[in-house]
Amino acid sequence: MAGDLIVSTINGGAIGTKNVIINGNFGINQRAVTGSVVLSAGVYGHDRFKAGASGCSYTFATSANVTTLTISVGSLIQVVEGINLQTGTYTLSWTGTAQGKIGGGSYASSGTTGSATGGTNLNVEFNTGTISLVQLEAGSTATEFEHRQYGTELGLCQRYYQQPIDSGLDFFAGYFVTGNYGASVFNTWVVEMRATPTVVLTLGTLNSVGSVSVNYFDKKRFHLNPLANATSAGFYYVAKLTASAEL
């Protein structure tokens, strides 16, 4: 009927927007963590998940497009942005042996409930054990995990962290002319970020003249800016550019 919500399924799960956890399948790994992942407190591994107050150590494996993390030390947290929450009861569910908690609640098995306040950020935290298919949804009943298309999930992650340049090679950006500042480069982020990000620029090995920084940036755009007159003509290259607006 007109106006009805149509929900498709994939691999036994629904496709939609009920899950306010981002990257609950751990399919997005922009920081390219590998092997035995050891994180200090507050440091991010897989997108949107950071180490708890005691740090976190984990390994992970993927089978049939489902990634399972095995936490051996510490805890792993996702801060759910308040803009995505409404006031009321939420249910946290997952597959695995780890226990989880919502906000200041106690650790419990999958299907635990807690309260959220609309507009207020909310921590979801997991202790040692295995976790996959993490979901936080409004209501007091856990339902099947909601799968989102890869591009949709990536875009949600890029609101908080992105690497618009990460080629592993030198990426030509601009040039210097002797006695001049050289050309600036203006561009937009892949998606608009949550807030003005912290930006890290890694210049390529072929940058031999002048100096460059990223300035005049906000949550929508960035500017590569030569900082001083060049002593000789040459080019500048970028090997990597990252932007973080994590919570």
Side-chain angles (χ1 to χ4, degrees), residues 117-239:
T117 300
T120 301
N121 296 347
L122 180 67
N123 283 8
V124 168
E125 187 167 7
F126 295 93
N127 61 12
T128 55
T130 58
I131 54 170
S132 63
L133 303 179
V134 180
Q135 180 156 285
L136 182 68
E137 59 190 305
S140 56
T141 302
T143 64
E144 61 182 345
F145 180 78
E146 173 187 82
H147 292 272
R148 289 189 282 258
Q149 293 186 359
Y150 181 88
T152 299
E153 204 76 58
L154 176 60
L156 292 173
C157 292
Q158 287 173 328
R159 172 174 159 80
Y160 302 88
Y161 178 85
Q162 57 181 271
Q163 300 177 162
I165 301 173
D166 186 21
S167 63
L169 301 170
D170 292 338
F171 175 84
F172 172 72
Y175 62 89
F176 289 96
V177 177
T178 304
N180 291 280
Y181 275 74
S184 297
V185 176
F186 295 87
N187 211 332
T188 57
W189 300 118
V190 178
V191 300
E192 182 174 318
M193 305 201 71
R194 180 189 66 83
T196 298
T198 299
V199 177
V200 177
L201 169 68
T202 303
L203 292 176
T205 57
L206 297 180
N207 178 56
S208 57
V209 294
S211 56
V212 179
S213 75
V214 180
N215 57 8
Y216 308 121
F217 59 88
D218 57 24
K219 64 182 182 179
K220 294 183 178 181
R221 62 189 68 84
F222 64 92
H223 173 211
L224 290 174
N225 182 40
L227 294 177
N229 290 334
T231 56
S232 62
F235 302 100
Y236 68 93
Y237 298 79
V238 175

Side-chain angles (χ1 to χ4, degrees), residues 80-90 114-122:
V80 180
E81 191 176 357
I83 196 171
N84 295 318
L85 295 168
Q86 301 296 322
T87 299
T89 299
Y90 278 75
S115 297
T117 300
T120 301
N121 296 347
L122 180 67

Side-chain angles (χ1 to χ4, degrees), residues 5-49:
L5 175 64
I6 299 175
V7 179
S8 302
T9 61
I10 182 171
N11 295 334
I15 300 176
T17 57
K18 67 182 178 182
N19 189 4
V20 295
I21 290 289
I22 297 174
N23 201 28
N25 190 30
F26 302 106
I28 310 299
N29 181 15
Q30 293 186 84
R31 295 171 179 83
V33 296
T34 59
S36 297
V37 183
V38 180
L39 305 174
S40 300
V43 174
Y44 283 81
H46 282 73
D47 277 64
R48 299 296 303 119
F49 286 89

Side-chain angles (χ1 to χ4, degrees), residues 57-60 68-72 129-131:
S57 297
Y58 68 87
T59 57
F60 62 96
T68 299
L69 272 57
T70 302
I71 301 173
S72 57
T130 58
I131 54 170

